[in-house]
Amino acid sequence: KALSLLFKQPIQIVGAGRTDSGVHAKQMYAHFDCDFEIDSDYWVSKFNSFLGKNIVIYRFIPVNEDAHTRFDATSRTYEYYIHTFKDVFQNEGSWYYFNQLNVDLMNEACKILFEFEDFECFSKTNTDVNTFLCDITEANWKVKGNQLIFTVTANRFLRNMVRAIVGTLINVGIGKITLDDFRAIIESKNRGKAGFSVPAHGLYLVNVKYPYID
């Protein structure tokens, strides 16, 4: 709507993908077609003045007319934030989880993800995807004070996949399931055997990569 008002012509945008309601994005791309060149610096300032406080545009990037933000992406990276001590300033952007977690064991479980390509067990049921295959290239937990940060990178993600992976890794961290159980869950391809889906507000899309954007 803002672009259409600014450019005085109907503009439709296509985003790099969808996330669950409540999930944040530190980086997101969208593409649109228009019939004139855009001065990025001028229009960024102008455009942001039309947008609400929960979204900001950083730049316009000219690309080939057949470029597609969803299908051309080569990888996406998500982070999930947990704080282990009550912090009122993090309630909107991090999940408060106070139980003791074995982070070393959770990182061992992360390595098991690299053994597989089919992650149907972490996908929402009744989804319309043609394949559950994903190439995970990064998965790890880091401790930063009272905060735990899970980072995962793949060429694509299934609906609810990251939140389900985190919930299942939490079960490893509290000793509810073993590493062998974690592997068996993936092999089962059964969402009912995987862990709970952690709250959306701790999840962030942080990076989307394209072959033609630095």
Side-chain angles (χ1 to χ4, degrees), residues 76-138:
R76 295 170 172 84
T77 299
Y78 283 89
E79 291 177 345
Y80 194 88
Y81 287 77
I82 295 174
H83 56 288
T84 58
F85 188 82
K86 187 176 181 180
D87 186 339
V88 296
F89 297 105
Q90 295 194 66
N91 285 338
E92 299 300 319
S94 176
W95 178 40
Y96 175 41
Y97 188 81
F98 52 83
N99 288 334
Q100 186 74 29
L101 291 168
N102 187 331
V103 178
D104 290 338
L105 198 60
M106 291 160 66
N107 272 325
E108 287 300 311
C110 285
K111 296 175 184 177
I112 295 173
L113 294 169
F114 303 135
E115 301 175 13
F116 296 91
E117 292 183 333
D118 190 319
F119 295 102
E120 184 173 358
C121 71
F122 298 129
S123 173
K124 272 191 174 180
T125 56
N126 301 321
T127 184
D128 58 357
V129 297
N130 296 320
T131 175
F132 296 96
L133 302 183
C134 306
D135 180 18
I136 295 179
T137 55
E138 177 185 19

Side-chain angles (χ1 to χ4, degrees), residues 2-3 31 33 111 140 145 175 190:
L3 286 171
H31 80 255
D33 298 318
K111 296 175 184 177
N140 61 75
N190 185 340

Side-chain angles (χ1 to χ4, degrees), residues 13 20 22 34 49-50 63 71 85 91 100 130 158 161 163:
I13 65 171
D20 297 331
C34 68
S49 68
F50 276 69
V63 292
F71 300 126
F85 188 82
N91 285 338
Q100 186 74 29
N130 296 320
L158 307 168
M161 178 176 168
R163 292 168 61 195

Side-chain angles (χ1 to χ4, degrees), residues 37-198:
E37 291 189 9
I38 296 173
D39 181 331
S40 181
D41 291 338
Y42 171 79
W43 285 111
V44 164
S45 177
K46 193 88 168 172
F47 191 24
N48 279 324
S49 68
F50 276 69
L51 299 175
K53 64 181 181 179
N54 63 341
I55 185 171
V56 59
I57 303 301
Y58 290 101
R59 59 177 175 156
F60 290 93
I61 305 167
V63 292
N64 293 329
E65 63 179 22
D66 59 350
H68 198 289
T69 48
R70 179 182 175 190
F71 300 126
D72 291 355
T74 55
S75 73
R76 295 170 172 84
T77 299
Y78 283 89
E79 291 177 345
Y80 194 88
Y81 287 77
I82 295 174
H83 56 288
T84 58
F85 188 82
K86 187 176 181 180
D87 186 339
V88 296
F89 297 105
Q90 295 194 66
N91 285 338
E92 299 300 319
S94 176
W95 178 40
Y96 175 41
Y97 188 81
F98 52 83
N99 288 334
Q100 186 74 29
L101 291 168
N102 187 331
V103 178
D104 290 338
L105 198 60
M106 291 160 66
N107 272 325
E108 287 300 311
C110 285
K111 296 175 184 177
I112 295 173
L113 294 169
F114 303 135
E115 301 175 13
F116 296 91
E117 292 183 333
D118 190 319
F119 295 102
E120 184 173 358
C121 71
F122 298 129
S123 173
K124 272 191 174 180
T125 56
N126 301 321
T127 184
D128 58 357
V129 297
N130 296 320
T131 175
F132 296 96
L133 302 183
C134 306
D135 180 18
I136 295 179
T137 55
E138 177 185 19
N140 61 75
W141 289 90
K142 287 185 173 63
V143 180
K144 189 177 180 181
N146 292 318
Q147 195 168 56
L148 300 179
I149 305 170
F150 174 65
T151 303
V152 60
T153 301
N155 64 328
R156 64 188 291 264
F157 287 92
L158 307 168
R159 289 186 63 197
N160 205 234
M161 178 176 168
V162 179
R163 292 168 61 195
I165 289 176
V166 173
T168 311
L169 290 171
I170 292 290
N171 285 342
V172 172
I174 61 176
K176 185 175 181 179
I177 63 173
T178 66
L179 294 179
D180 286 340
D181 292 333
F182 186 77
R183 182 179 284 105
I185 287 169
I186 300 175
E187 291 173 340
S188 75
K189 303 181 183 180
N190 185 340
R191 178 65 185 93
K193 294 183 181 297
F196 63 103
S197 180
V198 291

